[in-house]
Amino acid sequence: MASAIARLEQYTIKRPQEVLLVSATVEGEEDEIVIFKGFSSSLMRPTAFDPDVSVLPDDATIEKIDRLQSPYVPENPQYIEQGLTWETMQPYLESVGV
């Protein structure tokens, strides 16, 4: 999943008006990751200070991806699209060349 997160980070660099909210399963537990302008951070687990350390381990599974309007306000999220799978996110990644 490290390469998947890296691709999603690249997407948000090219689409700074969007925030991605990724729901994933890590070692049988749910996690949520927010990705904005090339940076990712877990909302439920500690995130490493080193940006070269992926927020998701390789054995994690992405369950769904939500596209939101920037800025992300947890109390009032502005969804562009919800419930994308890794497969349905591919055309968006390809449209920006990542």
Side-chain angles (χ1 to χ4, degrees):
M1 279 300 110
S3 65
I5 290 296
R7 289 185 67 200
L8 294 173
E9 289 171 344
Q10 289 299 310
Y11 174 84
T12 63
I13 289 172
K14 295 183 182 222
R15 293 271 172 99
Q17 72 280 10
E18 288 187 33
V19 174
L20 299 178
L21 186 60
V22 178
S23 298
T25 302
V26 179
E27 298 175 359
E29 295 183 16
E30 293 182 18
D31 196 1
E32 280 194 332
I33 293 95
V34 65
I35 305 174
F36 178 62
K37 291 189 177 180
F39 294 96
S40 57
S41 181
S42 173
L43 299 177
M44 303 174 88
R45 300 170 162 264
T47 301
F49 290 108
D50 184 351
D52 291 333
V53 176
S54 178
V55 71
L56 281 181
D58 287 334
D59 61 345
T61 304
I62 292 177
E63 303 297 336
K64 70 178 180 112
I65 303 166
D66 297 335
R67 297 172 56 223
L68 296 98
Q69 191 69 33
S70 173
Y72 174 60
V73 180
E75 297 81 27
N76 188 26
Q78 303 295 312
Y79 289 94
I80 299 168
E81 196 169 7
Q82 291 179 270
L84 296 167
T85 63
W86 179 246
E87 290 75 25
T88 58
M89 187 66 192
Q90 295 308 304
Y92 295 106
L93 297 173
E94 291 168 6
S95 74
V96 296
V98 295

